[in-house]
Amino acid sequence: MKERLESIKKRYEELNTLLMDPEIMSDFKKVKDLSKEQSDLKEIVDKYSEYEIAEKNIEEAKQLVNDPELREMAELEIEDNSEKLEKLTQELEILLIPKDENDGKNIIMEIRGAAGGDEANIFAGDLLRMYTYYAEKQGWKIEINHQVEGTSGGFSQVECTIKGDSVYSKLKYESGAHRVQRVPVTETQGRVHTSTATVLVMPEVEDVDIEIKESDLKIDVYHSSGAGGQSVNTSNSAVRITHLPTNTVVTCQNERSQLKNKDKAMQILKVKLYDLMEQEKEQALGSARKSKIGTGDRSEKIRTYNYPQNRVTDHRIGFSVMSLDRVMDGELDPIIEALITEDLKRKLAGE
């Protein structure tokens, strides 16, 4: 570990020198790239400096242990700094775990009603509400790109963009099948039903090298629809783009301008095609996708929301909270923190 830390410290010092070079300072892209690299290393270098100070304090205190008058003070100094060293070692081990390059990105989230008919669509709407409340608590911004409302409420499909500080790092564990157990509003006998909705989380991509040929696209325009199927405006502003080779369909209707909707739909198409490429790459390598916690696949059952018991259980890590009502009001932090902790633990163990 110390060899890696010394190497990082050396590189950080090199970056300081490079960023003062007039030739480099005249190249905006170079400065931006080097500054980002420096910023990524700063926390590790600062923590390593604390580690080195603690080590030095222990060595100096050991020199005083044989002095009868200073022995007690020296032993206390060794004990305090040894505890500090142990804590810093654990923190540095976590910081040295390779970071997910997508953690700082915004996301595109897609929620669909799955098994369970109307109740599944209603639950998809409940999940959107839950993520909306959570986004508000985090200070994030959420925008609906496209929605297909269910006949009894909720959504058969809804797609949104969530923007803010490190959105993907917290919501990347949400991809998969979410199962609800409750008495549906449509149930007359009072029986508990099980329904599912699926969630897909994709990081926004910028400047990715994805070639999209005009000839591969089918573009349709139509009236934007609001609640109850009412037209939001009278112009054909909503845009649906179909990527024919992959049969990937994206729709955007939240902007009043057809041009803005088309631009946004193209951005979302890039995200979906990039996500498709990543899936294929991971499958070819035979490795788990996105994270060590689960596969990130839409079909994987990840969580159960049990209303009669007021319980939420995440099946990937065997974690439950008896506060479903608060979770549905956006208090997702206990679950997300447990997932992040377990993910780090598995990575540290080399799984």
Side-chain angles (χ1 to χ4, degrees):
M1 186 179 82
K2 284 200 74 174
E3 283 180 9
R4 286 183 66 194
L5 289 166
E6 284 294 337
S7 176
I8 289 168
K9 182 181 175 182
K10 184 180 177 184
R11 176 58 181 164
Y12 186 78
E13 289 166 354
E14 284 175 1
L15 289 167
N16 284 338
T17 304
L18 288 169
L19 285 165
M20 289 188 287
D21 186 326
E23 190 176 331
I24 287 173
M25 288 175 70
S26 64
D27 185 337
F28 176 76
K29 188 180 184 306
K30 190 75 172 172
V31 169
K32 184 183 174 184
D33 291 344
L34 292 177
S35 296
K36 185 183 183 305
E37 185 183 353
Q38 184 190 50
S39 175
D40 290 343
L41 298 180
K42 187 177 187 306
E43 188 178 1
I44 297 174
V45 172
D46 288 348
K47 196 70 69 179
Y48 184 43
S49 293
E50 291 181 49
Y51 179 95
E52 287 183 305
I53 290 167
E55 265 192 333
K56 184 181 177 185
N57 290 342
I58 290 170
E59 288 305 313
E60 289 176 352
K62 283 179 178 177
Q63 304 299 318
L64 304 174
V65 167
N66 294 326
D67 187 324
E69 293 182 6
L70 299 173
R71 180 184 297 158
E72 189 177 345
M73 183 190 74
E75 287 174 347
L76 281 171
E77 186 75 8
I78 291 169
E79 186 181 346
D80 287 348
N81 280 280
S82 294
E83 288 176 5
K84 190 180 291 185
L85 208 60
E86 187 177 347
K87 182 173 180 288
L88 287 165
T89 299
Q90 292 172 353
E91 291 172 351
L92 283 164
E93 283 176 345
I94 291 170
L95 288 172
L96 287 172
I97 293 171
K99 288 184 172 58
D100 187 331
E101 62 182 17
N102 293 319
D103 275 351
K105 293 182 178 178
N106 301 324
I107 66 162
I108 304 291
M109 175 181 278
E110 190 177 275
I111 306 172
R112 293 174 182 258
D118 287 341
E119 170 63 5
N121 294 341
I122 291 168
F123 181 50
D126 292 340
L127 289 176
L128 176 65
R129 174 179 169 273
M130 177 184 79
Y131 291 123
T132 300
Y133 284 160
Y134 181 67
E136 287 171 359
K137 290 175 190 291
Q138 299 296 314
W140 298 337
K141 184 181 178 184
I142 186 165
E143 300 171 357
I144 303 297
N145 302 322
H146 172 60
Q147 61 192 50
V148 180
E149 295 178 0
T151 53
S152 299
F155 304 94
S156 63
Q157 179 184 350
V158 60
E159 194 174 90
C160 61
T161 301
I162 305 179
K163 298 181 177 181
D165 183 32
S166 300
V167 179
Y168 185 76
S169 70
K170 292 190 174 180
L171 292 182
K172 63 183 175 183
Y173 304 102
E174 296 304 299
S175 287
H178 295 241
R179 183 174 69 168
V180 62
Q181 293 175 323
R182 64 184 177 189
V183 179
V185 291
T186 52
E187 167 61 51
T188 56
Q189 305 296 318
R191 293 171 298 184
V192 173
H193 286 226
T194 298
S195 305
T196 58
T198 61
V199 176
L200 182 62
V201 174
M202 297 166 284
E204 271 195 335
V205 290
E206 298 172 7
D207 304 323
V208 289
D209 188 19
I210 296 178
E211 184 186 354
I212 301 177
K213 298 176 184 174
E214 283 289 330
S215 57
D216 287 341
L217 301 178
K218 179 175 181 285
I219 301 175
D220 300 302
V221 294
Y222 56 97
H223 290 337
S224 299
S225 296
Q230 295 177 337
S231 179
V232 172
N233 56 54
T234 55
S235 64
N236 290 332
S237 61
V239 175
R240 181 191 301 113
I241 301 177
T242 305
H243 184 251
L244 300 171
T246 60
N247 199 32
T248 302
V249 181
V250 297
T251 307
C252 192
Q253 62 182 39
N254 66 316
E255 303 286 352
R256 288 194 171 272
S257 155
Q258 184 188 123
L259 185 61
K260 286 183 178 177
N261 277 327
K262 184 183 176 185
D263 287 345
K264 194 159 189 179
M266 284 299 293
Q267 289 171 12
I268 296 168
L269 179 61
K270 278 190 176 183
V271 169
K272 291 196 172 185
L273 292 179
Y274 177 77
D275 189 67
L276 201 60
M277 283 166 52
E278 288 296 295
Q279 285 183 55
E280 290 170 355
K281 192 190 300 179
E282 292 291 351
Q283 285 168 5
L285 293 170
S287 56
R289 189 171 164 239
K290 303 291 186 192
S291 163
K292 296 293 182 184
I293 298 291
T295 63
D297 190 88
R298 194 201 289 273
S299 64
E300 181 192 18
K301 183 182 77 175
I302 65 165
R303 198 174 294 153
T304 295
Y305 303 73
N306 186 304
Y307 275 73
Q309 297 176 16
N310 198 37
R311 171 175 52 82
V312 181
T313 299
D314 196 286
H315 303 290
R316 294 163 295 180
I317 58 173
F319 179 83
S320 293
V321 290
M322 307 303 291
S323 54
L324 180 145
D325 51 341
R326 294 201 294 274
V327 169
M328 298 310 291
D329 282 338
E331 291 188 20
L332 274 167
D333 274 332
I335 298 171
I336 288 171
E337 285 168 9
L339 287 161
I340 291 170
T341 300
E342 180 63 21
D343 198 9
L344 285 171
K345 181 179 165 186
R346 294 183 188 185
K347 285 173 180 174
L348 279 169
E351 292 182 22

